[in-house]
């Protein structure tokens, strides 16, 4: 657990390097977590809520398990936990594992993935660095699958995406241009991958706004399961589909993945800040 002098806090587990809580001063939780966490959690499964690390594959866009193999790994190691100039942070790393060696196309991959999370009063920074230690290029997609808590998804909206091209999974992965100033939620499933985006803002309808800015990550995903399919998520409690909006920073298009040259590295940064 990271604690800032302002009263903000953040919790991250070594299972998947997964952030499970972010509270602002006054103890107000900003991230959605399933009501089944942690008592109903089963190892080998992804954690529903918080910030899953999806790597080296976003969604089901390739031959690997959904969202890759890092989010379900217990092999993450804490290599540093410290406070510098009043900013608490934690650093975790992972290299090849039996799971990665068994993954299609990854048997010979040599990599180090490092996660650094730093906490401020009303924001936090999530860095994901990928080092390619092999003599061949390392190619991947991925995302930081952030679940924001909202009082009612139907009053929430996401802006900053007008004019961007997006892949709509609800409409057979067709590509469209976003014509609206805001992406709204009316109870139906929303599952869109916006390409080449800048800072995105999620407003929950109460005056609270969260800005999601990024470096390295090129794309943004907006997702809510909707009422009709909510029952398909066994790890989400009744009615909880109304209590979250996912706004994710990623590189999601398998046609334009990240390619890391031999003995080089790549850095993706997501900074999340809140204005009440």
């Amino acid at each position: 657990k990271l604690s800032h002098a302002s009263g903000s806090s953040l919790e991250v587990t070594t299972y998947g390097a997964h952030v499970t809580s972010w509270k602002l001063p006054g103890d107000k939780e900003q991230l959605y977590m399933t009501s089944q966490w942690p008592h109903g959690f089963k190892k080998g499964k992804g954690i529903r809520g918080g910030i899953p690390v999806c790597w080296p594959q976003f969604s089901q866009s390739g031959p690997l398990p959904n969202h890759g193999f890092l989010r379900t790994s217990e092999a993450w190691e804490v290599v540093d936990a410290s406070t510098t100039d009043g900013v608490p942070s934690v650093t975790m790393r992972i290299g090849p594992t039996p799971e990665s060696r068994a993954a299609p196309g990854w048997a010979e991959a040599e990599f180090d993935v490092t996660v650094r999370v730093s906490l401020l009063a009303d924001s936090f920074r999530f860095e994901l660095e990928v080092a390619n230690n092999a003599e061949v290029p390392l190619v991947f997609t991925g995302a930081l699958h952030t679940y924001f808590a909202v009082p009612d998804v139907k009053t929430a909206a996401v802006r900053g995406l007008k004019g961007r091209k997006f892949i709509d999974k609800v409409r057979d992965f067709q590509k469209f241009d976003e014509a609206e100033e805001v992406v709204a939620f009316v109870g139906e499933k929303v599952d869109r991958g916006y390409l080449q985006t800048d800072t995105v803002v999620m407003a929950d309808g109460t005056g609270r706004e969260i800005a999601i800015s990024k470096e390295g990550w090129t794309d943004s995903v907006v997702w809510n399961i909707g009422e009709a399919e909510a029952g398909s998520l066994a790890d989400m409690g009744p009615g909880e589909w109304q209590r979250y909006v996912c706004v994710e920073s990623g590189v999601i298009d398998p046609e334009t993945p990240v390619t890391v040259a031999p003995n080089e590295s790549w850095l993706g940064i997501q900074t999340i800040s809140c204005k009440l």
Side-chain angles (χ1 to χ4, degrees):
K1 181 176 180 177
L2 303 181
S3 299
H4 189 271
S6 65
S8 65
S9 65
L10 183 144
E11 296 179 18
V12 56
T13 173
T14 53
Y15 184 90
H18 194 122
V19 173
T20 57
S21 174
W22 172 42
K23 293 181 179 179
L24 294 180
D27 208 40
K28 183 171 177 58
E29 181 61 61
Q30 303 301 306
L31 301 179
Y32 162 81
M33 286 293 295
T34 174
S35 58
Q36 298 181 27
W37 170 261
H39 63 277
F41 172 68
K42 297 179 181 179
K43 290 184 178 181
K45 302 289 186 181
I47 299 172
R48 177 71 63 190
I51 309 180
V53 177
C54 304
W55 193 91
Q57 175 184 289
F58 176 72
S59 188
Q60 297 171 330
S61 59
L64 303 182
N66 188 37
H67 291 319
F69 45 70
L70 287 195
R71 68 184 182 127
T72 56
S73 179
E74 299 179 68
W76 289 89
E77 298 178 339
V78 176
V79 295
D80 182 69
S82 58
T83 300
T84 304
D85 297 329
V87 178
S89 66
V90 62
T91 302
M92 301 181 185
R93 70 162 296 280
I94 192 171
T97 64
E99 291 76 20
S100 73
R101 296 293 192 208
W106 285 79
E108 305 299 325
E110 297 293 340
F111 60 85
D112 281 306
V113 177
T114 303
V115 161
R116 302 182 191 89
V117 185
S118 306
L119 178 66
L120 296 172
D122 59 0
S123 66
F124 72 96
R125 175 182 172 106
F126 193 118
E127 302 177 37
L128 186 143
E129 185 172 10
V130 178
N132 180 13
N133 302 325
E135 297 303 319
V136 295
L138 186 72
V139 180
F140 64 86
T141 56
L144 301 178
H145 198 314
T146 310
Y147 289 73
F148 294 105
V150 297
D152 183 350
V153 70
K154 294 181 181 179
T155 66
V158 178
R159 68 175 188 269
L161 296 168
K162 184 178 181 180
R164 303 297 181 179
K165 190 173 293 293
F166 67 92
I167 302 168
D168 195 340
K169 291 179 70 174
V170 175
R171 292 184 280 180
D172 297 321
F173 293 86
Q174 295 182 71
K175 288 185 178 180
F176 300 91
D177 293 317
E178 181 57 72
E180 303 298 328
E181 291 286 348
V182 300
V183 179
F185 304 87
V186 295
E188 298 177 353
K189 184 177 183 178
V190 175
D191 196 349
R192 300 177 179 179
Y194 290 85
L195 308 177
Q196 301 298 318
T197 57
D198 297 317
T199 296
V200 178
V201 175
M202 192 284 296
D204 71 358
T206 69
R208 162 180 167 254
E209 293 189 345
I210 291 180
I212 304 99
S213 59
K214 53 189 173 55
E215 302 169 42
W217 303 109
T218 53
D219 311 320
S220 300
V221 177
V222 178
W223 177 66
N224 179 274
I225 189 67
E227 184 174 14
E229 295 186 29
S232 67
L233 301 179
D235 55 359
M236 184 176 285
E240 290 182 28
W241 68 271
Q242 301 174 80
R243 303 291 178 238
Y244 81 90
V245 170
C246 279
V247 183
E248 314 162 31
S249 299
V251 176
I252 65 166
D253 189 347
E255 296 180 4
T256 55
V258 174
T259 299
V260 184
N263 302 306
E264 297 291 338
S265 62
W266 173 89
L267 178 63
I269 302 172
Q270 175 176 263
T271 301
I272 297 176
S273 55
C274 185
K275 181 176 71 172
L276 298 174

